Amino acid sequence: MAKKTALPIDHLVINVHRDLSLARGLFERLGFTLTPMGRHTMGSINHLMVFGDDYIEAIGLPADGAVERSELLNGPVGMDGLVFKTPDAEQTHARLAAAGEPLLPVQSFSRPVQLGDRVTDARFKTVRFEANRFPAGRVYFCQHDTPELVWRKEWQSHACQAMGIAALLIVSTQPQVDARHYAAIAGGTTRRGAHGEFRIDGAQYSLVVVTPQDYRACFGALAVEAHGRPSFFGAIALRVKSLAPLRSILEALESEPVSGADQRSQRRPSPLHAEYVFRDRGDRIAVSMHSVGTLLEFIEKQVNP
């Protein structure tokens, strides 16, 4: 079978329930530039970490409990969304429906974006599967009607030097079956990697499907919880220009001055630093934030994820 390149990733989603402010602080301290808070017409709120061609979305609900979105609250906090690009949501819906996929109707929504003294609506259309089609989380397709309101230069520069999504690691008790399913909807093909994992390659990223045993062996204490699911999103790999800025950020987090009366050269981890667990292996740095169920692996741009 000839190898096919999978559709590009539009963005990945981190579901933080009602703790968006906590998530924002964690990602900003790690060196990300976040967009101002957006509010969807469905009531959810978000911040984006925008790269060259894709982005990560931290999504949640207002802390006052006034808004409910069951598809967000029914799943655990953490990495829960894989979103492919589509130039035509209606056409994608027709293609997937013809293949027998269980789909919801095409959804149209927007959120206001303030640019200076002007407010404009960013508009989207999405193609979504019925609930629980993918145990790992929400998988859907997104059409941007106003991409210029997402990919803006002022939001694409990050102190941690993140440039774009390199891979999404999917943990599954049946990796071959799941890999074939992801490949089918994304228009790609599966292949075996050097360590026995299954891979679906896009032009700029890979979906990597592994067993729970191999995931735990690789990441140990940094691994996120399965929460009883047979499949879950285990890590997001990001390409960076250089790991040096991230190392400096992590060193600063690890050894901030003690607050209070006695600050005489004594240093210890700050309270917020307890939110980060990280591992540096030279050509890659893994950072786990258990309070938001997220594991990020930063890799230098010439390294394979």
Side-chain angles (χ1 to χ4, degrees):
M1 179 190 296
K3 181 182 176 182
K4 298 179 185 176
T5 301
L7 293 171
I9 284 179
D10 186 77
H11 65 283
L12 301 176
V13 185
I14 297 170
N15 179 4
V16 299
H17 285 191
R18 300 194 188 277
D19 285 325
L20 189 64
S21 60
L22 168 67
R24 175 174 185 151
L26 289 171
F27 289 114
E28 285 184 333
R29 291 288 297 272
L30 204 52
F32 288 101
T33 299
L34 275 72
T35 60
M37 189 184 76
R39 188 178 294 268
H40 298 124
T41 47
M42 306 94 77
S44 48
I45 53 179
N46 72 353
H47 292 292
L48 309 183
M49 291 157 269
V50 184
F51 311 120
D53 300 303
D54 45 39
Y55 60 93
I56 293 175
E57 176 185 23
I59 191 169
L61 295 169
D64 61 11
V67 176
E68 300 286 333
R69 277 188 64 185
S70 59
E71 73 272 28
L72 296 179
L73 293 175
N74 288 348
V77 166
M79 301 168 287
D80 89 328
L82 165 59
V83 188
F84 296 102
K85 289 184 188 293
T86 177
D88 189 325
E90 297 289 351
Q91 188 178 74
T92 296
H93 190 280
R95 173 179 70 84
L96 293 170
E101 292 289 350
L103 302 173
L104 298 172
V106 172
Q107 181 181 47
S108 297
F109 63 97
S110 64
R111 59 176 172 82
V113 177
Q114 182 152 2
L115 300 174
D117 57 0
R118 180 172 60 96
V119 177
T120 307
D121 281 345
R123 301 186 309 277
F124 314 89
K125 292 186 182 73
T126 57
V127 178
R128 301 160 298 150
F129 295 87
E130 290 184 357
N132 303 318
R133 182 65 171 126
F134 291 88
R138 297 175 300 130
V139 180
Y140 56 103
F141 296 76
C142 183
Q143 172 186 327
H144 287 261
D145 292 332
T146 53
E148 71 279 4
L149 297 179
V150 173
W151 283 276
R152 298 188 60 82
K153 205 170 271 191
E154 63 264 35
W155 298 329
Q156 291 175 291
S157 178
H158 304 275
C160 63
Q161 300 286 290
M163 301 167 59
I165 296 166
L168 175 65
L169 183 66
I170 303 165
V171 185
S172 173
T173 55
Q174 48 179 10
Q176 185 172 17
V177 172
D178 279 2
R180 286 175 176 167
H181 194 183
Y182 284 104
I185 66 158
T189 52
T190 61
R191 66 178 178 89
R192 296 301 292 266
H195 304 287
E197 74 278 15
F198 293 89
R199 288 178 172 263
I200 303 106
D201 297 321
Q204 301 184 61
Y205 74 93
S206 294
L207 300 180
V208 183
V209 190
V210 302
T211 65
Q213 295 80 8
D214 286 345
Y215 174 63
R216 292 283 172 183
C218 180
F219 288 106
L222 279 72
V224 301
E225 293 299 321
H227 295 289
R229 294 168 294 175
S231 179
F232 61 97
F233 299 139
I236 297 169
L238 297 173
R239 294 199 185 280
V240 297
K241 297 175 185 175
S242 166
L243 288 171
L246 179 61
R247 287 194 177 98
S248 296
I249 289 168
L250 292 171
E251 287 171 5
L253 285 172
E254 198 172 29
S255 56
E256 289 187 344
V258 173
S259 59
D262 184 10
Q263 298 182 3
R264 295 170 299 185
S265 73
Q266 183 184 5
R267 304 183 76 80
R268 70 183 182 204
S270 68
L272 188 58
H273 175 260
E275 297 284 356
Y276 305 95
V277 181
F278 60 91
R279 181 186 70 195
D280 189 338
R281 287 194 166 173
D283 63 352
R284 61 189 65 215
I285 298 175
V287 181
S288 187
M289 294 169 282
H290 289 301
S291 61
V292 289
T294 298
L295 172 56
L296 302 178
E297 188 167 49
F298 299 82
I299 61 176
E300 292 191 329
K301 58 184 178 180
Q302 70 274 14
V303 176
N304 290 324

